[in-house]
Amino acid sequence: MKKAVCALLCAALLGGCGESRSRNDGKIRIGVSVYDSYDTFISELMKEFNTDVADTGDITVEVYNASGSQQTQNKQMENMIEKGCDVICINLVDRTSPKKIIDLAKKNNIPVIFFNRELVEEDLSQWEELYYVGADAAQSGVMEGQVAASAFADGTADKNGDGVIQYIVLEGEAGHQDAVVRTERSVDTLIEEGYEVDKIASAIANWSRSQAQTRMAGFLETYGNSIELVLGNNDDMALGAIDALKAAGIPRAAWPVIVGIDGTTAGLQAVVNGEMIGTVYNDKKGQAKAMADLAIALARGESLDHLNLKNDKYIRLPYQIITIDNVSDYLD
Ligand code: GAL
């Protein structure tokens, strides 16, 4: 009888305060696997995440680099489970192949927070302990279009004066939600803002500065001075375009308008010095904090109410426009 009362009391207490999931003597262990640790935005996001988690004390974080291989990431998931991680954060390599990760999470009863590379809702609904932290790709595209539109307002950026914006797009990875949607929405926004546009060319440069430089060098050879606008799906690719303009010795006054997305350290610097007309802040600080808060609350078995999850699963941080007028607010 006494035992039963005690069990009830304990259950009530645990129910009220939450039950830690810790599999390591009360210490929390968080595992993270990123799709590619050389990606600038992801590495800056992880830096924020590590700082946020370090601030909270006795939590261990282990970060793995999947180096662009889903198979490697699946193995890392197994490894993190074996090593006793209480919560696992996954930046999917292939956002269409989360099955193995989800099966392992369910089987071992370990919550997974997917981030940045968004899996489809059907996959995220496979189990209640799966979450997503990221941002709304469409919003970044609209904002990029708005920044570009404002640069053409006074007519000076229309180099040939034909009233049409001749543009190129440097695209992220094929099939990545941010690449597809940003490209579409940025151009649609220019049109909605009343501009006539003419797409000269586009190229996939996989978020990479060096790949973008190569692609832009090719465009400069073929189309030369007729390019009036470069829409980069991210800052690194916009910076690659700038590298190509510099390498080709094109004078600054003859450069096209260049816009990026992310607000990385180098991207912000390019806004400060006027090489990029603007960028769109992909809130790495907000996303890192949301991931850290969610991971810790899950590990400690605490309520998630204060995190305002949408559909009990999603946290999306808003994007913000950055131009020379407000860039100082974003510099560390
Ligand atoms: C995007 C970001 C890119 C790249 C990509 C990786 O959100 O803008 O720079 O980091 O994620 O998935």
Side-chain angles (χ1 to χ4, degrees), residues 2 25 32 41 52 60-61 66 70 81 110 125 133 145 150 159 168 174 191 234 241 250 258 276 287 308 316 323:
K2 261 187 191 168
D25 298 332
V32 184
F41 172 73
D52 288 334
T60 322
V61 179
Q70 188 57 57
I81 294 170
I110 297 173
S125 330
V133 174
S150 61
K159 293 199 261 183
I168 63 154
I191 296 167
N234 76 345
I250 297 175
I258 301 161
M276 245 159 68
Q287 291 169 35
N308 297 319
R316 287 202 174 89
T323 64

Side-chain angles (χ1 to χ4, degrees), residues 20-32:
S20 168
R21 285 183 171 268
S22 173
R23 305 195 285 150
N24 318 282
D25 298 332
K27 290 225 164 98
I28 296 174
R29 191 181 279 243
I30 302 174
V32 184

Side-chain angles (χ1 to χ4, degrees), residues 290-329:
M291 266 167 69
D293 289 349
L294 180 56
I296 294 166
L298 286 168
R300 290 188 177 145
E302 292 169 356
S303 154
L304 306 181
D305 287 354
H306 64 295
L307 296 170
N308 297 319
L309 271 75
K310 195 178 149 232
N311 297 342
D312 296 328
K313 287 195 165 287
Y314 289 92
I315 301 181
R316 287 202 174 89
L317 277 291
Y319 284 98
Q320 295 149 42
I321 286 181
I322 303 179
T323 64
I324 193 66
D325 297 333
N326 64 345
V327 66
S328 59
D329 299 347

Side-chain angles (χ1 to χ4, degrees), residues 78-93:
E78 283 169 351
N79 205 2
M80 290 187 274
I81 294 170
E82 261 164 43
K83 286 180 104 182
C85 289
D86 306 302
V87 176
I88 294 176
C89 303
I90 297 282
N91 179 217
L92 278 170
V93 175

Side-chain angles (χ1 to χ4, degrees), residues 32-37 63-80 90-94 97 100-101 104:
V32 184
S33 168
V34 297
Y35 90 102
D36 177 3
S37 62
V63 183
Y64 294 78
N65 178 12
S67 303
S69 157
Q70 188 57 57
Q71 225 180 343
T72 303
Q73 188 164 64
N74 294 345
K75 289 214 186 84
Q76 290 171 344
M77 176 78 183
E78 283 169 351
N79 205 2
M80 290 187 274
I90 297 282
N91 179 217
L92 278 170
V93 175
D94 179 352
S97 301
K100 176 90 186 172
I101 308 254
L104 284 166

